[in-house]
Amino acid sequence: IDDNLSRQLEGAAAALRALRDGAGAAVASGALPEPALLQTLVAAMPGVGMLSVLDADGRVRASSRPDQVGQDQSDRAVFQRARDRADPA
């Protein structure tokens, strides 16, 4: 069980790193991840309910839940912690 869980967590971390690395440039250029890609990642990661890409101001630019696009998340503690870190990843 420990090995299986470890592999699942490593796989999830790798997928999220790839999304992070691509999303930063995408937000800057305007080419955002498609909701279908984000939905596929959510489906592949047990315990993850939603993935969203936020801009530097905390506005949702892309999400696995399209109804979230445009929402302001700047008041959320998790966004503020990420924003205030030297490496928000």
Side-chain angles (χ1 to χ4, degrees):
I1 294 176
D2 288 344
D3 289 340
N4 186 34
L5 180 58
S6 180
R7 282 193 301 277
Q8 287 180 10
L9 291 173
E10 288 171 8
L16 292 172
R17 278 192 302 273
L19 178 61
R20 175 204 61 199
D21 294 345
V27 169
S29 72
L32 298 167
E34 293 292 326
L37 169 63
L38 299 174
Q39 292 163 354
T40 299
L41 290 170
V42 167
M45 293 185 277
V48 174
M50 177 175 66
L51 285 174
S52 295
V53 175
L54 281 65
D55 64 18
D57 296 322
R59 183 105 18 219
V60 177
R61 300 288 306 275
S63 180
S64 59
R65 289 186 36 204
D67 63 303
Q68 295 297 305
V69 173
Q71 296 292 316
D72 182 358
Q73 302 293 317
S74 63
D75 62 340
R76 301 272 179 118
V78 67
F79 170 77
Q80 293 170 2
R81 281 192 306 270
R83 178 196 60 204
D84 296 341
R85 287 181 52 191
D87 176 13

